[in-house]
Amino acid sequence: MSRRPVPLPAEHIPPGTPEWRTADVLRWLDAVPARWAHPLFALLALAVSVAWEVTAAPVPACTSAEPCGSDWTGLAVAVVLVLSLYWVWRQPRLAIGGLAVTVVALAVEEGVTVFARPSALAYLVATGFAVSGLVHRLAVAGRQRALALEAAGPAAQPLPEAARTFRRGRLSFVPAAVFLAVAGFGVWQALGVADAYERRAAGAAHLSGEVTAVDEGEGVVTVTAEGRVHRIGTAFPEDFPVDTRVDLVVDGDRAVLVAEPYDAFGWELLVLTGSVTGLAFLVNGVVGRLGARRLRRGPLPVLHVMVREGEEDGRTWVFAADDTEGRRPVLWFHSLYADDDGAEEDEDDLGTGDDDDGDFGLDKVAQVLRGDGPAPPLREAVLYGAPYTGAEVAFVARDDEDDPEVAVECSVTSVKPAVPLWNTGGQQARGRKHPRRPVEEIAAGLTPSAEPRVWRAHGFSRGLGAGLLVVQGGGVWAALEDGPSWHWLMLAVALPWLVTSVATATTWRITADRDGLWVLTAWRVRRVPWDVTLSVTHREDGIDIGRAEDDAVRVSPTGWAWLERRLGREPGAERVADELRALLLRPDLRPTDEALSDRQGMPVGPLLVALTVLWGAAALLLL
């Protein structure tokens, strides 16, 4: 029997507050981005095109007239590019501007004709695709806001006083300052390297010599100048072929090419990393501050809803006001309590934070981490602010029926719709770290059968196994290519795991009969009787079967739940675990016949080992 929602006292529900009912909720949920606009696809397209452009674009040769040095403009564009890839997921408006900057910078550097190069054209197309998705997502957010305002009606209410003094975003500024300081230090060091070269060059001899040998493997050119031989390290030995003349700066026994005066790549890489990380935190902090400020600006639309806190992830899930069973979540965000003393709350847009009051936040986090408290109840609440993707909101609700006081909570991450496309998935589509589907719901889809039930590796699992097999084959070939070396040690460590994972992912099978389960893994078939089985769970891309006498029998990997959810599908292994759990808890659904050996499957681990040995032997013979 389900618990009734924790009621909200009538005096805390502003007059005229409308209920956000299922009909309006479904319209709001329908206004979500199309599947093609998911940021994952844009990121993949951009990443592939950027990698292609980096490898295919011609690199200008270093010369005495145009020596290679620190390219601060190019480094700034690289910072914008990496930030834009991150913003594609988190900050659509900034991502549009950042991607536009990178395209303009490419055209300015090499001219518009650069897009005749296939790799540059691919980047332009990928950018257009990403920007189209970003614009679509922003338009959809506007549609969601309009639907929320329509459901809320003309009435508006001031934000509760406790929420008006709530602040967030300050925590992001601390790591932002640290990483930007690191980037500044890198700039200082890189400039110091350049200045040191200029000082040495001012008092050094400037000579012209002839390249007599090139060692591309070591990155060294041999130059003869005025009867002396100099071996000089270079990043681009192919730019200095034998018999060409080069200019040198010689200071005692030290000689450098004028075309490559110094190497500050390490410091420039530090600048890139520090700048990207620092600016990401800075923008998150600023966006969080501005969102909270907009929430406090004036009267807000209000909606009567139901809320529930996630058992293990700390998310606040919002449900329709008439969804008193909490079956279909509408949206989610992370939230923290606002106190009446005006204490500031610090949180960036990357996760949750702690409450300054201590008791609320620490109890909340402790229960999430321990997972030993009672299931959070469904609570009646009033939501302040128009909810849409990326919005900031606040709500008023009681914690439980024993608490006479109401609490005010404010979002510390932006609103996200509860649909699988956005990897929120609702409670029905989320992984095992979220509430499971009720056994009754699963059992309703199962019919008693005399024949043993069999679950086996599905398409995603076999695809993962095939990918790991390619990695395994490539790793064996690469390790053996250069003869005996330390790479063989890495191969010896990784190969057992790869063989086990490939064999399991491609051929795992679980068979249920009248007496228990037959579990096929890479190396053997294990028997798990019903009377010693305690639980069946899907966790971390594996199925765990808990037993009374010892540790769980684990089948892993059984697929790639992360990708399956992002493609809008229920992970196949999760469905298997749910159905096995239903058989465990409902004996009347178990098969009445015994599974014969042909239904139990055969381990392929030994066969895969034999094939790996043959592949390694072939590699040694052919290389």
Side-chain angles (χ1 to χ4, degrees), residues 464-525:
L464 176 63
L468 291 175
L469 182 61
V470 172
V471 172
Q472 175 185 322
V476 170
W477 188 281
L480 300 179
E481 184 176 15
D482 297 327
S485 69
W486 64 273
H487 293 98
W488 288 24
L489 179 60
M490 294 180 58
L491 184 64
V493 172
L495 200 55
W497 177 84
L498 280 171
V499 170
T500 301
S501 297
V502 169
T504 302
T506 53
T507 63
W508 65 267
R509 179 187 296 192
I510 301 176
T511 305
D513 63 11
R514 67 186 182 191
D515 298 320
L517 302 174
W518 294 97
V519 183
L520 170 65
T521 57
W523 306 105
R524 59 174 172 159
V525 180

Side-chain angles (χ1 to χ4, degrees), residues 13-145:
I13 302 177
T17 299
E19 290 188 339
W20 201 16
R21 304 187 69 81
T22 298
D24 295 324
V25 160
L26 293 178
R27 292 174 61 204
W28 191 93
L29 283 173
D30 285 340
V32 296
R35 184 168 297 178
W36 66 267
H38 194 286
L40 175 63
F41 301 129
L43 282 176
L44 289 175
L46 288 169
V48 170
S49 63
V50 168
W52 186 11
E53 172 64 9
V54 168
T55 56
V59 179
C62 301
T63 64
S64 298
E66 296 183 4
C68 295
S70 296
D71 182 7
W72 296 111
T73 301
L75 183 61
V77 173
V79 169
V80 173
L81 174 61
V82 178
L83 277 173
S84 298
L85 295 179
Y86 168 69
W87 286 336
V88 163
W89 203 284
R90 304 303 298 267
Q91 306 291 348
R93 289 183 175 83
L94 293 177
I96 293 173
L99 292 173
V101 168
T102 61
V103 171
V104 171
L106 185 60
V108 169
E109 181 180 6
E110 300 187 41
V112 179
T113 56
V114 67
F115 297 114
R117 187 168 65 234
S119 58
L121 180 61
Y123 177 69
L124 181 63
V125 172
T127 300
F129 172 72
V131 169
S132 299
L134 294 167
V135 171
H136 174 71
R137 287 162 55 190
L138 291 173
V140 163
R143 173 64 176 161
Q144 288 177 330
R145 184 176 186 274

Side-chain angles (χ1 to χ4, degrees), residues 513-547:
D513 63 11
R514 67 186 182 191
D515 298 320
L517 302 174
W518 294 97
V519 183
L520 170 65
T521 57
W523 306 105
R524 59 174 172 159
V525 180
R526 305 178 70 172
R527 182 60 161 166
V528 185
W530 290 118
D531 56 1
V532 301
T533 303
L534 299 179
S535 63
V536 181
T537 56
H538 175 256
R539 181 173 59 88
E540 298 176 356
D541 291 324
I543 297 175
D544 291 344
I545 302 173
R547 298 190 296 174

Side-chain angles (χ1 to χ4, degrees), residues 112-324:
V112 179
T113 56
V114 67
F115 297 114
R117 187 168 65 234
S119 58
L121 180 61
Y123 177 69
L124 181 63
V125 172
T127 300
F129 172 72
V131 169
S132 299
L134 294 167
V135 171
H136 174 71
R137 287 162 55 190
L138 291 173
V140 163
R143 173 64 176 161
Q144 288 177 330
R145 184 176 186 274
L147 290 172
L149 290 174
E150 180 182 337
Q157 299 293 332
L159 198 65
E161 189 61 33
R164 296 182 64 83
T165 59
F166 184 89
R167 301 290 187 273
R168 82 174 188 90
R170 192 173 56 185
L171 185 63
S172 290
F173 296 131
V174 176
V178 172
F179 283 106
L180 290 177
V182 169
F185 176 75
V187 172
W188 177 54
Q189 289 293 330
L191 293 176
V193 171
D195 290 341
Y197 165 77
E198 294 294 341
R199 288 194 300 269
R200 286 196 306 269
H206 293 256
L207 307 177
S208 178
E210 183 177 294
V211 177
T212 56
V214 178
D215 187 345
E216 294 192 6
E218 295 292 333
V220 174
V221 295
T222 303
V223 181
T224 301
E226 296 188 357
R228 293 186 61 185
V229 177
H230 303 276
R231 286 176 53 82
I232 305 171
T234 172
F236 305 100
E238 64 276 7
D239 290 346
F240 309 100
V242 175
D243 296 332
T244 57
R245 297 198 65 81
V246 295
D247 296 322
L248 307 179
V249 173
V250 181
D251 182 12
D253 294 332
R254 177 183 174 85
V256 297
L257 296 168
V258 173
E260 295 183 17
Y262 57 87
D263 181 10
F265 178 76
W267 296 116
E268 292 168 354
L269 185 61
L270 181 66
V271 173
L272 175 65
T273 305
S275 299
V276 168
T277 310
L279 289 173
F281 274 108
L282 179 64
V283 168
N284 284 339
V286 171
V287 169
R289 285 267 180 176
L290 293 177
R293 185 174 298 175
R294 284 194 299 270
L295 195 64
R296 301 192 303 269
R297 188 169 297 167
L300 300 170
V302 289
L303 290 167
H304 190 185
V305 296
M306 299 288 174
V307 298
R308 173 185 284 151
E309 185 176 333
E311 284 189 79
E312 297 181 26
D313 56 14
R315 294 174 177 177
T316 297
W317 296 87
V318 176
F319 303 81
D322 55 349
D323 185 5
T324 56

